[in-house]
Amino acid sequence: MSTIGFEELINKYTTVLFDCDGVLWRGNELIPGSKEFIDHLRKHNKRLIFVTNNASQSREQYRTKFQKFGLDVSTDEIYGSAYAATVYLKYKLKSKKAFVIGMSGLEHELDTEGIEHIGGTSEEYNKLTTDIDFKGIKDSIDPSVDTVLCGMDLMLNYSKLSHAFSYLENKNVNFVLTNDDSTFPQSAGIFPGSGSLSAPLILASGRTPTVVGKPNKEMLDCILDKNHLNNEETLMIGDRLNTDIKFGQEGGLDTLLVLSGVSKREDIEKENIYPKYILNSLDDLN
Ligand SMILES: O=C(O)[C@H](O)[C@H](O)COP(=O)(O)O
Ligand SMILES: [Mg+2]
């Protein structure tokens, strides 16, 4: 494990896969040096691919977020777990309709692939109430729902969980997570991640979900469907050892851990996941 400088990086790699939360930004705050580093790579004609487990936004919404930071990134360069999960439901599960725990970004991606969805941001599932209509939940089961899909949901509540749980009682209904990150890096600090939001369903249903996001192969398959990666010339940059660095290693890529997000230097030995390179942040490359 060593550091790496900009010159060495651009001489070794033609393609850079970037994680987003904790590498480029924390919430809506750009991490110092990330824009400059991306601009430098663009000047050296490097291929950039952005791979985020954050399912709260669609590729289009991320393109707008990049633009707000003065970064011109095309949707073809963006692979979010909302998109990857949608592709998985559409082409692997042949899903027609999903019950969603998630936000508008996940719903937008499902819409682009013509997968119907209930739950999510619709009004009836987002009322914060202690007056739960338990019988109504069981009576409301829609037999055409074939999948429960869970992602980051800032409006999670007991009623939504109870609806999702009731669908999962039917073992024929698929159970899919966009990702299972335990925590989520924000500018104000670390918060519960989407993996921690779906944990109650896993415990209550006793079922093991398919997880699409990093480090799982479905996310890499989604990228490889559209991009040939020359492994020796591709670098994966991330802030989380058990998603980004593991994803890169299992994909046969070199990896760079930046300490600007979730994982800390002492986590490396604890988790026994050793990146090839380590830096404090992307600013060390400017
Ligand atoms: O809780 C989550 O969904 C994740 O922590 C978060 O969104 C990770 O995003 P990434 O670091 O993969 O961009
Ligand atoms: Mg991250």
Side-chain angles (χ1 to χ4, degrees):
M1 191 169 65
S2 66
T3 60
I4 185 171
F6 182 75
E7 287 308 319
E8 182 186 355
L9 188 148
I10 55 164
N11 291 331
K12 278 184 88 164
Y13 303 106
T14 55
T15 303
V16 178
L17 270 61
F18 283 92
D19 170 47
C20 298
D21 289 345
V23 174
L24 304 179
W25 52 59
R26 288 182 289 259
N28 288 318
E29 207 170 283
L30 203 58
I31 290 173
S34 52
K35 177 180 180 325
E36 294 79 358
F37 176 56
I38 288 171
D39 289 341
H40 290 156
L41 290 180
R42 289 287 198 206
K43 283 197 188 89
H44 287 80
N45 300 314
K46 299 302 177 185
R47 182 171 56 154
L48 310 185
I49 295 176
F50 300 90
V51 194
T52 177
N53 272 2
N54 188 323
S56 64
Q57 299 187 57
S58 63
R59 289 164 297 165
E60 194 46 46
Q61 289 168 318
Y62 270 115
R63 194 177 67 81
T64 306
K65 180 168 186 173
F66 275 108
Q67 270 178 337
K68 279 190 194 135
F69 287 133
L71 289 164
D72 183 14
V73 173
S74 78
T75 47
D76 291 343
E77 295 177 306
I78 301 169
Y79 290 83
S81 61
Y83 173 65
T86 297
V87 167
Y88 180 75
L89 260 66
K90 174 87 175 181
Y91 299 103
K92 292 276 177 68
L93 299 183
K94 313 282 185 237
S95 169
K96 297 280 182 282
K97 190 169 190 178
F99 181 87
V100 170
I101 288 185
M103 300 165 73
S104 65
L106 186 50
E107 292 174 322
H108 288 172
E109 294 291 9
L110 291 168
D111 292 342
T112 60
E113 292 292 346
I115 299 178
E116 285 185 77
H117 50 85
I118 57 173
T121 60
S122 52
E123 192 54 39
E124 64 185 288
Y125 295 94
N126 287 287
K127 291 185 204 99
L128 207 52
T129 172
T130 55
D131 182 19
I132 304 283
D133 175 6
F134 290 101
K135 184 177 179 311
I137 289 173
K138 297 301 184 196
D139 292 348
S140 72
I141 291 285
D142 175 343
S144 57
V145 166
D146 53 50
T147 301
V148 168
L149 175 59
C150 300
M152 176 52 79
D153 188 341
L154 300 180
M155 287 288 283
L156 185 65
N157 60 59
Y158 183 82
S159 166
K160 224 184 243 185
L161 281 171
S162 300
H163 280 276
F165 170 81
S166 301
Y167 281 105
L168 291 174
E169 288 182 294
N170 175 351
K171 300 302 177 220
N172 295 319
V173 170
N174 304 303
F175 186 16
V176 179
L177 305 187
T178 58
N179 62 303
D180 61 357
D181 298 54
S182 57
T183 55
F184 174 38
Q186 275 286 347
S187 46
I190 303 290
F191 291 86
S194 47
S196 299
L197 305 186
S198 46
L201 270 185
I202 295 170
L203 180 63
S205 69
R207 292 187 56 178
T208 303
T210 298
V211 184
V212 170
K214 298 169 287 181
N216 300 286
K217 68 180 286 299
E218 283 76 13
M219 181 65 114
L220 188 60
D221 291 348
C222 184
I223 295 168
L224 294 176
D225 275 354
K226 300 240 168 79
N227 303 272
H228 169 71
L229 294 183
N230 183 330
N231 286 7
E232 293 71 43
E233 298 173 2
T234 302
L235 179 67
M236 171 74 204
I237 302 179
D239 71 296
R240 195 184 185 104
L241 288 161
N242 67 355
T243 55
D244 306 316
I245 305 306
K246 197 170 168 211
F247 174 77
Q249 288 174 343
E250 291 182 355
L253 312 178
D254 283 353
T255 56
L256 162 58
L257 174 71
V258 287
L259 301 172
S260 49
V262 172
S263 292
K264 304 199 172 356
R265 195 180 288 273
E266 57 269 25
D267 296 328
I268 293 170
E269 196 177 338
K270 235 189 281 177
E271 297 186 36
N272 194 29
I273 300 175
Y274 290 80
K276 184 176 177 74
Y277 309 111
I278 181 169
L279 292 173
N280 288 321
S281 78
L282 294 181
D283 211 15
D284 292 347
L285 287 157
N286 291 324

